[in-house]
Amino acid sequence: LFNYDGVQDSEIVVICESWGSALAVGRHAVGINGKDMSEVQLRKLLHLKAQTFLVLLDHGAEAKAAQLAQRLAEARRVLVALLPWGDPNEVPKAVLNQAVADAKVYSTSTMLRSMTVSLAARIHR
């Protein structure tokens, strides 16, 4: 987990795919080095003080974000932020900030609605 030591006292931890994305998000972010999280990474995250996790994976990884959020939601409050395009380290800061501001509390129905809207937007492009 990239930046694990840096998020020890964070109330909210943002989970990103890579170290580059975590750096773009800021000091409250960790990189899991991929779209999937190992059991070891999950246990380490659940040992943190954080009361809330915010899952922010790259655009196009909505299904993986939902899987990750579901695993975390068994123990903590989880929000999911979806980018309209790109990776957190590729999009302008304003786009990244808007995705975080629009983050939704994880639930199966919320994720299905968000994924449907995201898919519809891609089809119309």
Side-chain angles (χ1 to χ4, degrees), residues 35-98:
K35 291 176 180 31
D36 295 310
M37 184 171 49
S38 72
E39 286 299 316
V40 171
Q41 289 173 318
L42 177 64
R43 282 195 303 273
K44 286 184 87 169
L45 287 172
L46 294 178
H47 277 95
L48 293 171
K49 284 184 184 179
Q51 296 301 307
T52 302
F53 290 111
L54 189 150
V55 177
L56 177 63
L57 302 186
D58 300 351
H59 176 74
E62 293 84 2
K64 289 292 187 177
Q67 290 172 350
L68 182 58
Q70 183 178 22
R71 290 175 70 195
L72 291 164
E74 294 175 11
R76 303 281 165 78
R77 180 173 184 254
V78 179
L79 303 169
V80 179
L82 301 176
L83 290 171
W85 56 274
D87 301 352
N89 56 324
E90 295 175 339
V91 299
K93 196 69 165 174
V95 172
L96 183 60
N97 290 342
Q98 190 61 54

